[in-house]
Amino acid sequence: MICPCQDKSATNARLYEDCCESKHKGLTKAQSAEELMRSRYSAFFLGLGKYIFDTHHADFRNGTVEDYTASAQSTNWCRLEVLESEQLESNDKVNFKAYFFEKDKLHCMHEISNFVLEANQWFYTDGEYQPKTVEKIARNDQCPCQSGLKAKKCHLLI
Ligand SMILES: [Zn+2]
Ligand SMILES: [Zn+2]
């Protein structure tokens, strides 16, 4: 499958096994804040609470691995759009939009996330939330995840 963090309509979209999987399995580490952000989104998409927990800086966590897993698994994530990442020395920001469905409504969560590099490992710390938007998606519309399928055959399974 195309990695959940990738733009599905792009011709150079990478497969999960060539993108976030090795990070989720602990075989490689994210090389940048944006890579970590993408792998965290993919972990949310796949319900991998432990990865989300482990990559959230210990000083900023709110909940247990079980809480993170429950939150990830109960959300119908749809698409990630990275708007820009700003590289500072050891403290980067990534500006992104993450989309998820609740029934037939597409929610857009817009966040500017902060990341910190510690002992050669990137961690998410916290984020500044931008105003959320909600859009109703009709069953016959193209699915916003860019799969090319109608929403009713894809993320809008209600
Ligand atoms: Zn990925
Ligand atoms: Zn979809």
Side-chain angles (χ1 to χ4, degrees):
M1 70 167 176
I2 291 180
C3 192
C5 82
Q6 296 279 314
D7 191 337
K8 290 186 178 54
S9 66
T11 46
N12 59 352
R14 287 155 76 193
L15 297 174
Y16 177 56
E17 65 209 62
D18 299 326
C19 189
C20 293
E21 186 177 28
S22 64
K23 295 176 199 99
H24 292 166
K25 290 188 166 167
L27 304 172
T28 59
K29 281 183 184 150
Q31 298 300 306
S32 66
E34 182 179 335
E35 246 185 64
L36 182 73
M37 193 268 129
R38 287 183 173 279
S39 67
R40 282 174 50 84
Y41 171 81
S42 294
F44 271 103
F45 188 98
L46 298 167
L48 306 175
K50 177 143 184 12
Y51 185 82
I52 302 164
F53 180 88
D54 287 344
T55 54
H56 197 172
H57 193 286
D59 295 346
F60 293 85
R61 283 175 193 151
N62 43 15
T64 62
V65 173
E66 289 70 34
D67 296 332
Y68 281 62
T69 305
S71 148
Q73 290 183 347
S74 64
T75 306
N76 183 9
W77 293 98
C78 179
R79 183 176 170 216
L80 172 68
E81 192 182 342
V82 175
L83 303 173
E84 70 175 320
S85 40
E86 191 183 335
Q87 299 191 345
L88 308 165
E89 268 183 24
S90 58
N91 175 346
D92 283 11
K93 286 181 189 288
V94 182
N95 182 351
F96 69 92
K97 289 180 174 177
Y99 297 86
F100 62 92
F101 270 104
E102 262 175 31
K103 299 231 172 81
D104 60 347
K105 303 259 187 345
L106 182 71
H107 294 247
C108 173
M109 195 191 92
H110 184 186
E111 186 182 322
I112 300 172
S113 287
N114 297 307
F115 295 86
V116 65
L117 184 64
E118 260 186 32
N120 256 339
Q121 197 167 338
W122 283 102
F123 293 94
Y124 168 68
T125 56
D126 56 2
E128 299 141 37
Y129 291 101
Q130 310 296 311
K132 236 183 182 185
T133 59
V134 181
E135 182 189 350
K136 194 171 188 306
I137 302 291
R139 297 175 57 72
N140 284 320
D141 286 351
Q142 292 268 312
C143 191
C145 77
Q146 302 180 314
S147 60
L149 299 171
K150 289 187 173 178
K152 67 180 177 191
K153 302 256 178 186
C154 193
H155 278 88
L156 184 56
L157 293 170
I158 52 169

